[in-house]
């Protein structure tokens, strides 16, 4: 599955209701090393949590200029990056009311520090890493002391 020492990241996002309480999970793998990340938010959307999982994983890295592969069950993320939709959204300032511009802008800035390839995996299937990320995300969404997704709540004039 892994060649040499390439960073492999699995991410997933979940939302109980859309919008509703949500969470993300991420697993970072470098050789035999594993690191899990998760956080829950009081009000957000599934797509925002999918993106937050990727962003949190990238923000946790201490090295830049490395190649990494991100596995996600979010076609929204895979298509937005791999089909270069995001590049166009950035160029046009997210014209036409594209959602999640705050998170996409954050991702875009972070992504410039790495060589990232996205791969889609079928969710809720037989991939143990994707299933673990789903478990991390849903557990975080169901947790207490949920964080505030300031971007979502501000955009919807809730804070």
């Amino acid at each position: 599955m892994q060649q040499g020492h390439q960073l492999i990241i699995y991410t997933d996002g979940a939302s109980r209701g859309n919008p509703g309480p949500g969470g993300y999970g991420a697993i970072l793998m470098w050789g035999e090393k594993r690191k899990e990340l998760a956080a829950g938010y009081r009000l957000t959307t599934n797509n925002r949590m999918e993106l937050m999982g990727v962003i949190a994983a990238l923000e946790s890295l201490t090295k830049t200029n490395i190649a990494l592969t991100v596995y996600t069950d979010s076609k929204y993320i895979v298509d937005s990056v791999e089909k270069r939709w995001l590049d166009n959204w950035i160029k046009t300032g997210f014209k036409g009311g594209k959602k999640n511009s705050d998170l996409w802008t954050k991702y875009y800035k972070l992504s410039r520090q790495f060589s990232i390839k996205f791969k889609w995996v079928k969710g809720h299937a037989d991939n143990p890493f994707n299933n673990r990320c789903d478990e991390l995300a849903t557990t975080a969404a169901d947790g207490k002391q949920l964080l505030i997704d300031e971007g979502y709540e501000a955009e919807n004039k809730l804070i």
Side-chain angles (χ1 to χ4, degrees), residues 72-125:
T72 175
D73 61 12
S74 170
K75 287 218 183 257
Y76 171 64
I77 291 179
V78 173
D79 288 349
S80 296
V81 175
E82 293 295 321
K83 293 182 178 180
R84 303 268 183 248
W85 299 345
L86 176 58
D87 293 344
N88 193 46
W89 299 342
I90 295 285
K91 274 187 222 143
T92 61
F94 294 88
K95 272 198 178 115
K98 291 284 173 234
K99 293 189 180 229
N100 308 317
S101 61
D102 61 326
L103 294 182
W104 278 120
T105 301
K106 193 172 194 178
Y107 163 77
Y108 188 79
K109 287 177 183 165
L110 281 166
S111 74
R112 308 280 67 27
Q113 303 171 53
F114 307 98
S115 173
I116 304 173
K117 176 107 182 98
F118 279 88
K119 298 213 181 214
W120 181 79
V121 294
K122 184 174 171 59
H124 309 284

Side-chain angles (χ1 to χ4, degrees), residues 3 6-7 14 41 53 70 82 85 105 108 112 151-152 156:
Q3 286 83 29
Q6 184 192 358
L7 182 62
Y41 293 80
V70 178
E82 293 295 321
W85 299 345
T105 301
Y108 188 79
R112 308 280 67 27
Y152 179 81
N156 291 280

